[in-house]
């Protein structure tokens, strides 16, 4: 049964951006999402620039502080939001590296069962469709439920953001509003399941 948002619903969401570029369209997109989010969603952005390259050798000697902080941020929130660019038809390295850390330990990672959503922007006409498809495959491995629809594929991004990184395209803003309402409902479905499991 679909969870309908109630007046008291409030979900904490952590968002990450798969780009290190200061003027990234995806950083701008995630900032726009923060501004457009309904009352039910409180979104904060976590910086991935400090995450070291994944290595099992490093992992065996101790989890780096930046990785531990990221894992804690994801573990303590109700939802996970990913804004991804598309590099060479795929997921950028900075995002894949973060996922490699978050996916550990296998079967017990903070991504297991975490309701999530993906969005992305690109100057290309297909947005970030290929990168998002790859991310959905990775989320299958981590048993992470990803919002199926609506898909946010912001193409021709250079025409939709101004020089200050503000989203000026009204149709895109309206569509993001629909996306965010759907994401809040998606998170609510899993929150409801956890509450029911706790009662039983």
């Amino acid at each position: 049964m679909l969870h309908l948002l109630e007046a008291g619903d409030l979900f904490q969401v952590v968002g990450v951006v798969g780009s290190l570029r200061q003027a990234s369209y995806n950083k701008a997109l995630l900032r726009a999402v923060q501004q457009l989010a309904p009352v039910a969603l409180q979104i904060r952005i976590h910086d991935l620039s400090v995450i070291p390259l994944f290595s099992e050798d490093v992992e065996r000697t101790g989890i780096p502080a930046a990785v531990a902080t990221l894992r804690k941020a994801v573990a303590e929130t109700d939802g996970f939001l990913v804004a991804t660019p598309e590099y060479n038809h795929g997921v950028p390295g900075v995002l894949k590296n973060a996922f490699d850390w978050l996916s550990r330990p296998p079967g017990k990672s903070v991504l297991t069962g975490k309701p999530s959503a993906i969005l992305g922007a690109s100057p290309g006409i297909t947005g970030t469709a290929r990168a998002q498809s790859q991310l959905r495959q990775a989320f299958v491995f981590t048993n992470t439920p990803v919002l199926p629809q609506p898909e946010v594929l912001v193409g021709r991004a250079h025409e939709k953001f101004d020089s200050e990184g503000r989203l000026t395209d009204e149709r895109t803003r309206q569509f993001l509003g629909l996306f965010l309402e759907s994401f809040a409902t998606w998170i609510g479905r899993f929150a409801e399941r956890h509450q029911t499991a706790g009662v039983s």
Side-chain angles (χ1 to χ4, degrees), residues 21-32 35 157-168 173:
R21 189 169 66 91
Q22 286 303 310
S24 162
Y25 290 122
N26 286 279
K27 285 184 180 179
L29 182 62
L30 206 50
R31 287 195 300 268
Q35 297 165 4
H158 56 290
E159 298 176 357
K160 296 172 182 174
F161 294 88
D162 66 17
S163 60
E164 299 298 319
R166 291 183 293 259
L167 179 61
T168 56
R173 292 176 68 88

Coordinates of all heavy atoms in Angstrom, one line a residue, residues 21-32 35 157-168 173:
R21 N 34.2 19.6 -9.7 CA 34.2 20.9 -10.3 C 33.3 21.9 -9.6 O 32.2 21.6 -9.3 CB 33.8 20.8 -11.8 CG 34.0 22.0 -12.7 CD 33.8 21.7 -14.1 NE 32.4 21.4 -14.4 CZ 31.5 22.3 -14.8 NH1 31.8 23.5 -14.9 NH2 30.3 21.9 -15.1
Q22 N 33.9 23.1 -9.3 CA 33.2 24.1 -8.5 C 31.9 24.5 -9.2 O 30.9 24.8 -8.6 CB 34.1 25.3 -8.2 CG 35.1 25.0 -7.1 CD 34.4 24.5 -5.8 OE1 33.5 25.1 -5.3 NE2 34.9 23.4 -5.3
A23 N 32.0 24.7 -10.6 CA 30.9 25.2 -11.3 C 30.0 24.0 -11.9 O 29.4 24.2 -12.9 CB 31.3 26.1 -12.4
S24 N 30.1 22.9 -11.3 CA 29.4 21.7 -11.8 C 27.9 21.9 -11.9 O 27.3 22.4 -11.0 CB 29.7 20.5 -10.8 OG 28.7 19.5 -11.0
Y25 N 27.3 21.5 -13.0 CA 25.9 21.6 -13.2 C 25.1 20.7 -12.1 O 24.0 21.0 -11.7 CB 25.4 21.1 -14.6 CG 25.8 22.1 -15.6 CD1 26.6 21.7 -16.7 CD2 25.4 23.4 -15.6 CE1 27.0 22.6 -17.7 CE2 25.8 24.3 -16.6 CZ 26.6 23.9 -17.6 OH 27.0 24.8 -18.6
N26 N 25.8 19.6 -11.8 CA 25.2 18.7 -10.8 C 25.2 19.2 -9.4 O 24.3 19.0 -8.6 CB 25.8 17.3 -10.9 CG 25.3 16.6 -12.2 OD1 24.3 16.0 -12.2 ND2 26.2 16.6 -13.2
K27 N 26.2 19.9 -9.0 CA 26.2 20.6 -7.8 C 25.1 21.7 -7.7 O 24.4 21.8 -6.8 CB 27.6 21.3 -7.5 CG 28.7 20.4 -7.1 CD 30.0 21.2 -6.8 CE 31.1 20.2 -6.4 NZ 32.3 20.9 -6.1
A28 N 25.0 22.4 -8.8 CA 23.9 23.4 -9.0 C 22.5 22.7 -8.9 O 21.6 23.2 -8.3 CB 24.0 24.2 -10.3
L29 N 22.4 21.5 -9.5 CA 21.1 20.8 -9.5 C 20.8 20.4 -8.1 O 19.6 20.5 -7.7 CB 21.2 19.6 -10.4 CG 20.0 18.7 -10.6 CD1 18.8 19.5 -11.2 CD2 20.3 17.5 -11.4
L30 N 21.8 19.9 -7.3 CA 21.5 19.5 -6.0 C 21.2 20.7 -5.1 O 20.3 20.5 -4.2 CB 22.7 18.7 -5.4 CG 22.4 17.7 -4.3 CD1 21.3 16.7 -4.7 CD2 23.6 16.9 -4.0
R31 N 21.8 21.8 -5.3 CA 21.4 23.0 -4.5 C 20.0 23.4 -4.9 O 19.2 23.8 -4.0 CB 22.4 24.1 -4.9 CG 23.8 24.0 -4.2 CD 24.5 25.3 -4.3 NE 24.7 25.8 -5.6 CZ 25.8 25.5 -6.4 NH1 26.7 24.7 -5.9 NH2 25.9 26.0 -7.6
A32 N 19.6 23.3 -6.1 CA 18.2 23.6 -6.5 C 17.2 22.7 -5.8 O 16.2 23.1 -5.4 CB 18.1 23.5 -8.0
Q35 N 16.6 23.7 -2.3 CA 15.7 24.9 -2.3 C 14.2 24.5 -2.6 O 13.3 25.1 -2.0 CB 16.1 26.0 -3.3 CG 17.5 26.5 -2.9 CD 18.1 27.3 -4.1 OE1 17.5 27.5 -5.1 NE2 19.3 27.8 -3.9
A157 N 22.0 21.3 -20.1 CA 22.0 22.0 -18.8 C 22.5 23.4 -18.9 O 22.1 24.3 -18.2 CB 22.9 21.2 -17.8
H158 N 23.4 23.6 -19.9 CA 24.0 25.0 -20.0 C 22.9 26.0 -20.4 O 23.1 27.2 -20.2 CB 25.1 24.9 -21.1 CG 24.6 24.4 -22.4 ND1 24.3 23.1 -22.6 CD2 24.4 25.0 -23.6 CE1 23.9 22.9 -23.9 NE2 24.0 24.1 -24.5
E159 N 21.7 25.5 -20.9 CA 20.6 26.5 -21.2 C 19.7 26.6 -20.0 O 18.7 27.5 -20.1 CB 19.9 25.9 -22.4 CG 20.7 25.8 -23.7 CD 20.0 25.2 -24.8 OE1 18.8 24.8 -24.6 OE2 20.6 25.2 -25.9
K160 N 19.9 25.9 -19.0 CA 18.9 25.8 -17.9 C 19.4 26.4 -16.6 O 18.6 26.6 -15.6 CB 18.4 24.4 -17.7 CG 17.6 23.9 -18.9 CD 17.3 22.5 -18.9 CE 16.6 22.1 -20.2 NZ 16.3 20.7 -20.3
F161 N 20.7 26.7 -16.5 CA 21.3 27.3 -15.3 C 21.9 28.6 -15.8 O 22.5 28.7 -16.9 CB 22.4 26.4 -14.7 CG 21.8 25.2 -14.1 CD1 21.7 24.0 -14.9 CD2 21.5 25.1 -12.8 CE1 21.2 22.8 -14.3 CE2 21.0 23.9 -12.2 CZ 20.8 22.8 -13.0
D162 N 21.8 29.6 -14.9 CA 22.5 30.9 -15.2 C 24.0 30.9 -14.8 O 24.5 29.9 -14.3 CB 21.8 32.1 -14.6 CG 21.8 32.1 -13.1 OD1 22.7 31.4 -12.5 OD2 21.0 32.8 -12.5
S163 N 24.7 32.0 -15.0 CA 26.1 32.0 -14.8 C 26.5 31.9 -13.3 O 27.6 31.6 -12.9 CB 26.7 33.4 -15.3 OG 26.1 34.5 -14.6
E164 N 25.5 32.1 -12.4 CA 25.7 31.9 -11.0 C 25.3 30.5 -10.5 O 25.3 30.2 -9.3 CB 24.9 33.0 -10.2 CG 25.3 34.4 -10.5 CD 26.7 34.7 -10.2 OE1 27.1 34.2 -9.1 OE2 27.4 35.4 -11.0
G165 N 24.9 29.6 -11.4 CA 24.5 28.3 -11.0 C 23.1 28.1 -10.6 O 22.7 27.1 -10.0
R166 N 22.3 29.1 -10.8 CA 20.9 29.1 -10.4 C 20.0 28.4 -11.5 O 20.2 28.7 -12.7 CB 20.3 30.4 -10.1 CG 20.9 31.1 -8.9 CD 20.2 32.4 -8.6 NE 20.6 33.4 -9.6 CZ 21.5 34.3 -9.5 NH1 22.2 34.4 -8.4 NH2 21.8 35.2 -10.5
L167 N 19.2 27.5 -11.1 CA 18.3 26.8 -12.1 C 17.2 27.8 -12.5 O 16.3 28.2 -11.7 CB 17.7 25.6 -11.5 CG 16.7 24.8 -12.3 CD1 17.4 24.2 -13.6 CD2 16.1 23.6 -11.5
T168 N 17.2 28.2 -13.7 CA 16.2 29.2 -14.2 C 15.1 28.6 -15.1 O 14.1 29.3 -15.4 CB 17.0 30.3 -15.0 OG1 17.7 29.7 -16.1 CG2 17.9 31.0 -14.1
R173 N 12.2 23.1 -13.0 CA 11.9 23.3 -11.5 C 10.6 22.6 -11.1 O 10.5 22.0 -10.1 CB 11.8 24.8 -11.3 CG 13.1 25.6 -11.4 CD 13.0 27.1 -11.2 NE 12.6 27.4 -9.8 CZ 13.4 27.6 -8.9 NH1 14.8 27.5 -9.1 NH2 13.0 27.9 -7.6

